[in-house]
Amino acid sequence: LQAFLEQHSQRFRVPGRVSFEQIYFGRDRHGQELAAVATQALEALRAGAVVDGDRFLLPRHQQGLTDQRVNQVFGQEFGDAVVGLEPGRWEGPIGSGYGLHLVWVEENRPGRAAALEEVREAVLREWQAERQDRQSQAFYRELRARYSVEIEDR
């Protein structure tokens, strides 16, 4: 099982997780001034001011999202940026499909290879399924080798 896990480590990878607070600034509200407004807000946050940002459908605090979930919810550009941030500092502006965000990463745990103890049952299932598939293919090859098929013209 350990050898199978090592050969197929991507299948069983433990995803990265990130917890963060985000402050949103919308394109509709700020138009051409969006980047300037977000940058000014970032400077204010770093100086200790309280910044509310614009109303947003998603919660301001996002807890324990996998890297994949961040990408699904906010988009690839945002996800790539956020998973690369160090915790404990306001960063941005970071673009998403919605607008711009200022982000405070609380915790950022990178993805990693799983230990066999964590995924033993899944590895066993996959190993058994692959073994069964190889045996079935070998059986059908052996059957085909015993017969010849002729196709006659009509």
Side-chain angles (χ1 to χ4, degrees):
L1 291 180
Q2 182 65 43
F4 185 84
L5 173 60
E6 289 169 8
Q7 290 172 348
H8 305 283
S9 61
Q10 285 302 102
R11 284 191 211 173
F12 305 101
R13 188 162 178 76
V14 176
R17 291 194 175 272
V18 63
S19 297
F20 60 93
E21 179 178 350
Q22 55 85 26
I23 300 173
Y24 166 73
F25 297 90
R27 288 183 182 94
D28 292 342
R29 181 163 181 210
H30 301 286
Q32 299 269 339
E33 300 297 316
L34 178 61
V37 168
T39 301
Q40 289 171 350
L42 177 62
E43 291 169 5
L45 283 168
R46 286 181 174 170
V50 174
V51 174
D52 290 327
D54 298 336
R55 295 176 125 208
F56 193 49
L57 295 174
L58 298 172
R60 185 169 170 148
H61 291 89
Q62 300 289 324
Q63 200 68 32
L65 295 173
T66 64
D67 299 348
Q68 181 181 9
R69 186 69 181 146
V70 173
N71 290 342
Q72 289 171 338
V73 173
F74 291 93
Q76 187 78 39
E77 176 187 356
F78 182 92
D80 289 347
V82 168
V83 299
L85 295 177
E86 291 293 322
R89 177 178 161 93
W90 281 106
E91 298 288 351
I94 300 171
S96 76
Y98 305 106
L100 293 179
H101 306 257
L102 304 179
V103 177
W104 175 280
V105 173
E106 296 165 3
E107 181 181 27
N108 195 348
R109 290 181 287 163
R112 62 177 174 75
L116 182 58
E117 298 77 39
E118 295 174 288
V119 291
R120 180 177 291 279
E121 289 181 29
V123 172
L124 179 59
R125 259 192 323 274
E126 294 274 335
W127 177 78
Q128 288 172 330
E130 198 170 288
R131 186 172 144 221
Q132 178 64 40
D133 187 49
R134 281 193 314 270
Q135 289 174 339
S136 295
Q137 288 177 17
F139 174 75
Y140 289 122
R141 274 194 306 274
E142 187 178 308
L143 275 179
R144 280 193 298 266
R146 292 183 191 174
Y147 297 95
S148 64
V149 176
E150 295 179 22
I151 301 175
E152 297 178 5
D153 289 334
R154 291 184 188 197

